[in-house]
Amino acid sequence: KQEVTQIPAALSVPEGENLVLNCSFTDSAIYNLQWFRQDPGKGLTSLLLIQSSQREQTSGRLNASLDKSSGRSTLYIAASQPGDSATYLCAVGMNRDDKIIFGKGTRLHILP
Amino acid sequence: SQTIHQWPATLVQPVGSPLSLECTVEGTSNPNLYWYRQAAGRGLQLLFYSVGIGQISSEVPQNLSASRPQDRQFILSSKKLLLSDSGFYLCAWSPQGRGYTFGSGTRLTVV
């Protein structure tokens, strides 16, 4: 059974710092991996989708990497801003038509 | 472009009352559709998913049911709400393996 873990559960960093959020999964036979952002009381916003054949994806200040063999993905946020404060969720898809499995998220707070 | 609509945004219902939450997707056909629940301080729990009209898979036994009467419509229902049904309900769609897009969610409070 696939399990997705995100460490740390919460993180506070000063504005301007670069930071890395971690996601690990127990079954490396994934189809894809997606990073989401959730603001308090809001829905989930997709940030980056990495297919199993890809190593990384980039969007603006965000870069997500995938290492299937080690069961890990990282989300790198450059030059953090207070507006980046949110909960970041990692989710793994095991095949084309099936459900995705979520981690419990990392709650990020950027200190002004 | 594809969009997903979910309503209502908030709902306060008494225990024992019925529930109907609706989700529709525009700009695509034959999407996979999903209902998730997020309880306070907890992770996302998959409740139901559907790969086609009338095809519903339930992930957890519970007081809720789902239906897909049309290709792009997904409905979450209950005949009698329980206090434990309170939570944040999210609908999502996926074009078969190309990532998920979530709706804005419904905050349900059962009193």
Side-chain angles (χ1 to χ4, degrees):
Chain A
K1 178 184 175 184
Q2 177 72 275
E3 293 183 0
V4 181
T5 303
Q6 291 185 249
I7 295 174
L11 181 65
S12 293
V13 299
E15 179 179 2
E17 283 197 6
N18 303 325
L19 59 99
V20 173
L21 306 181
N22 296 296
C23 172
S24 61
F25 44 93
T26 55
D27 185 347
S28 62
I30 67 170
Y31 186 82
N32 58 29
L33 184 145
Q34 196 167 1
W35 282 93
F36 295 89
R37 167 186 173 138
Q38 186 177 28
D39 293 288
K42 305 293 185 183
L44 275 66
T45 300
S46 178
L47 298 174
L48 291 164
L49 170 68
I50 309 177
Q51 300 293 348
S52 61
S53 59
Q54 298 173 321
R55 296 280 294 180
E56 65 176 357
Q57 284 285 338
T58 298
S59 176
R61 293 183 294 110
L62 305 179
N63 175 276
S65 67
L66 174 63
D67 184 344
K68 278 180 53 178
S69 61
S70 66
R72 292 185 177 184
S73 176
T74 61
L75 179 67
Y76 175 83
I77 303 176
S80 58
Q81 303 170 358
D84 295 329
S85 297
T87 296
Y88 290 80
L89 294 149
C90 164
V92 169
M94 299 305 293
N95 59 57
R96 184 174 179 266
D97 288 322
D98 209 348
K99 57 190 178 291
I100 57 175
I101 299 114
F102 280 89
K104 294 190 183 303
T106 294
R107 191 169 63 254
L108 176 65
H109 184 207
I110 305 300
L111 304 167
Chain B
S1 64
Q2 302 92 358
T3 56
I4 180 168
H5 302 279
Q6 189 180 343
W7 67 93
T10 60
L11 194 58
V12 180
Q13 292 283 98
V15 168
S17 63
L19 173 73
S20 180
L21 302 181
E22 188 164 344
C23 173
T24 60
V25 180
E26 295 179 356
T28 187
S29 59
N30 197 31
N32 291 347
L33 296 171
Y34 306 83
W35 278 111
Y36 282 85
R37 177 171 60 201
Q38 190 175 40
R42 299 179 62 182
L44 282 153
Q45 179 186 34
L46 177 64
L47 303 176
F48 301 96
Y49 69 98
S50 171
V51 298
I53 295 174
Q55 300 178 59
I56 310 294
S57 296
S58 174
E59 286 297 299
V60 290
Q62 59 202 308
N63 185 41
L64 302 168
S65 62
S67 62
R68 185 170 177 174
Q70 300 179 38
D71 181 44
R72 290 169 289 175
Q73 184 184 30
F74 204 23
I75 297 172
L76 183 69
S77 303
S78 174
K79 292 182 179 178
K80 290 185 178 182
L81 283 168
L82 306 172
L83 286 174
S84 59
D85 292 324
S86 294
F88 190 47
Y89 288 82
L90 290 156
C91 178
W93 78 279
S94 171
Q96 284 117 19
R98 297 201 299 274
Y100 276 40
T101 301
F102 279 80
S104 54
T106 296
R107 174 75 58 192
L108 171 66
T109 304
V110 182
V111 296

